[in-house]
Amino acid sequence: MTDVIKLNAEKRSEDKNPRQLRSEGILPATLYGKGMDSISIQLNSKDFTQAYKKNAEATFELTIDKKSYKTVAQAVQKNYATNETQSVEFKVI
């Protein structure tokens, strides 16, 4: 049985670039799945990093605009110089 980790996210506005978001402690991410358009989202970087370190294989339940998505972290991009998470791709399962 894998863990289910609940995280709040919100749709990402286009007025800030990912570098600006990361400097504010916000992690840019993408949500995609079969039969849906991909959604650019953002979430608290610290919350995700702590949860991912505990269990990278966990199921992440993302709540966006009062709707929940069961997902897995399909691709996690890191800055290998600083070990900071740069972005995440969540796949709906």
Side-chain angles (χ1 to χ4, degrees), residues 18-38:
R19 186 178 295 134
Q20 287 174 303
L21 293 173
R22 285 191 291 270
S23 72
E24 296 171 12
I26 299 169
L27 181 63
T30 304
L31 175 69
Y32 67 94
K34 189 173 183 175
M36 66 179 277
D37 291 333
S38 64

Side-chain angles (χ1 to χ4, degrees), residues 75-92:
V76 177
Q77 295 178 330
K78 288 185 172 265
N79 177 328
Y80 288 99
T82 63
N83 203 32
E84 285 182 50
T85 304
Q86 298 290 294
S87 69
V88 182
E89 290 181 12
F90 290 101
K91 183 177 181 183
V92 176

Side-chain angles (χ1 to χ4, degrees), residues 19-71:
R19 186 178 295 134
Q20 287 174 303
L21 293 173
R22 285 191 291 270
S23 72
E24 296 171 12
I26 299 169
L27 181 63
T30 304
L31 175 69
Y32 67 94
K34 189 173 183 175
M36 66 179 277
D37 291 333
S38 64
I39 305 169
S40 294
I41 60 172
Q42 61 189 36
L43 59 150
N44 183 292
S45 184
K46 194 173 181 181
D47 291 347
F48 172 78
T49 302
Q50 288 175 343
Y52 189 75
K53 279 182 184 174
K54 283 183 190 170
N55 186 356
E57 304 291 314
T59 299
F60 293 91
E61 187 175 315
L62 300 179
T63 302
I64 305 163
D65 295 336
K66 299 179 182 149
K67 187 172 180 190
S68 289
Y69 299 89
K70 285 212 183 297
T71 69

